[in-house]
Amino acid sequence: MTATIPVGFVPLIDAGPLIVAVEMGFDRAEGITLDLRRANSWSALRDMVSFGQVTAAQMLSPMPVATALGLGGAGAALAAVAVLSTNGEVVCVSAAMAKRLREAGHDFGFDDAHAAGRALIAAADGPLRIAVPFPFSMHAELLYHWLTALGLPAPSGIDIRTVPPPLMAAALAAGEIDACCVGEPWGSMAVERAVGALLLPGSAIWPGMPEKVLGVRADLADSDPEPLRALIRALWHAGQWLNDPRSRVTACEMLSGRDYLDVPTEVIDRALSGHLTISARGDSRVVPKFVDFGHFAPQQAHAAWIGGRLAARLGLDRGTSQAVARATYRTDLHENALQSIPGYTPEPASFERSFDGQNFTPLPPE
């Protein structure tokens, strides 16, 4: 008898491993059945996990850390047991802001975080109003780090607002925000509706940034480990399948379904291929590894960086916050689950050593 595992997701490209695990049968091959349940906001999804409505969920990588630090009125403690995706987000500006940027000579090169950031700061008329999908997200941390590193004063120069991903285009159209940082396909949908233009991919700010994780309640992470290990293995196989270019056409059809993202397949293809249309004029850019589903183990150094950033911004003790953050990223559970896969090789320790959680600057040197 297979175990049924309810799992929550938000309609984004990086829900792909969960969707593919069901549609391709990777869950059943591991002796489990995933029951996918859609949420329309990250706070709703977090509460679904906290109150036991689902066993696990796709989560923004800072969510377990923020919960452990007592931020955002969070409920039960959470643990990250796998990385579902790296990158996959875009900075999208309103049509009005795009016009100002072009008139000032910005070329929308799409690969230079310094040039794009400076142009955006120069074009601002007052504090930059930028939407993110959740207050404790890599979207918010990327924006704060990127723009303040380039001279924008915080908090006076930046007004971060929370908008659910499917509503970003409407907020841009209404003039409520100047820009947004959001996972695909919602930046591309703003382009499709001619209300925004893509300024930069997240990978231009920090290549390989852990974007989404598989989150569970911390008290469940060790209590019934075998179904969780089976889930991690199923998602690992789904990620490998998604990373194969030969899977792209089928993957786009799966993800576009009404029960999942419910957007045109060609919009999904832009993210999976990295061939992005950045403006309503049809301008396009190619971004290698725009999104990656390679399923990196959750790295405690990344959690420490998140904890340190939140502590600095919110007046918490840095050392304590980093220690608390590290404990939420369960590399041990992830590696233990994958050891039974023939030929699986754990990620090299150098991946974590290259990022010490203290001095990493997700901006290329000048």
Side-chain angles (χ1 to χ4, degrees):
M1 182 176 178
T2 62
T4 297
I5 302 178
V7 180
F9 76 98
V10 169
L12 291 158
I13 292 292
D14 43 41
L18 294 168
I19 296 167
V20 166
V22 170
E23 295 294 326
M24 293 297 293
F26 292 121
D27 58 343
R28 297 181 293 282
E30 293 294 337
I32 58 174
T33 299
L34 300 190
D35 173 16
L36 297 187
R37 301 183 185 181
R38 176 171 165 164
N40 290 320
S41 72
W42 292 109
S43 57
L45 184 141
R46 178 199 62 199
D47 292 344
M48 288 166 66
V49 176
S50 294
F51 297 114
Q53 293 172 300
V54 296
T55 301
Q58 164 202 18
M59 287 186 181
L60 297 156
S61 55
M63 287 175 71
V65 175
T67 301
L69 296 177
L71 301 174
L78 304 172
V81 297
V83 173
L84 295 179
S85 65
T86 58
N87 292 125
E89 64 291 303
V90 291
V91 177
C92 179
V93 297
S94 68
M97 176 61 77
K99 183 174 184 290
R100 292 206 296 273
L101 288 167
R102 290 192 188 97
E103 289 173 347
H106 184 61
D107 64 359
F108 283 79
F110 216 58
D111 60 356
D112 188 336
H114 285 84
R118 291 192 179 106
L120 183 61
I121 292 169
D125 181 17
L128 276 170
R129 303 167 301 160
I130 308 183
V132 298
F134 196 65
F136 310 113
S137 61
M138 272 300 195
H139 309 80
E141 297 312 320
L142 274 185
L143 290 171
Y144 280 119
H145 191 76
W146 171 46
L147 295 173
T148 58
L150 295 174
L152 186 70
S156 62
I158 184 168
D159 177 9
I160 299 292
R161 305 180 179 188
T162 301
V163 177
L167 301 182
M168 295 285 192
L172 288 166
E176 297 170 358
I177 54 175
D178 301 308
C180 61
C181 184
V182 66
E184 281 289 88
W186 302 110
S188 288
M189 290 305 295
V191 172
E192 284 294 288
R193 296 168 186 170
V195 299
L198 304 187
L199 177 67
L200 203 67
S203 59
I205 303 172
W206 178 356
M209 178 199 72
E211 174 57 35
K212 299 299 189 304
V213 298
L214 180 68
V216 300
R217 274 178 44 170
D219 61 350
L220 298 178
D222 296 300
S223 62
D224 191 12
E226 187 45 46
L228 181 57
R229 286 196 288 260
L231 173 57
I232 293 170
R233 288 192 296 270
L235 295 177
W236 185 86
H237 285 295
Q240 304 307 303
W241 185 87
L242 271 167
N243 268 2
D244 187 338
R246 294 171 296 182
S247 303
R248 200 174 78 228
V249 172
T250 303
C252 290
E253 293 173 354
M254 289 178 184
L255 270 61
S256 68
R258 181 173 297 178
D259 292 336
Y260 299 134
L261 273 64
D262 195 21
V263 299
T265 56
E266 57 268 24
V267 175
I268 294 174
D269 185 69
R270 296 175 194 176
L272 295 186
S273 67
H275 290 252
L276 296 170
T277 300
I278 68 165
S279 75
R281 306 187 307 184
D283 302 321
S284 64
R285 302 288 185 269
V286 178
V287 184
K289 282 203 176 288
F290 171 76
V291 60
D292 187 9
F293 302 102
H295 283 269
F296 301 109
Q299 298 292 332
Q300 292 188 343
H302 293 168
W305 185 84
I306 294 167
R309 293 291 301 174
L310 291 173
R313 190 152 54 82
L314 300 173
L316 306 176
D317 179 78
R318 182 185 179 93
T320 300
S321 296
Q322 289 185 318
V324 168
R326 282 180 174 274
T328 68
Y329 270 42
R330 296 294 302 275
T331 308
D332 58 326
L333 291 175
H334 181 272
E335 292 303 320
N336 181 267
L338 299 187
Q339 284 176 359
S340 64
I341 296 177
Y344 173 74
T345 302
E347 293 161 27
S350 60
F351 179 69
E352 181 161 338
R353 286 201 301 269
S354 70
F355 183 103
D356 64 9
Q358 299 278 348
N359 302 313
F360 181 81
T361 301
L363 287 167
E366 300 225 55

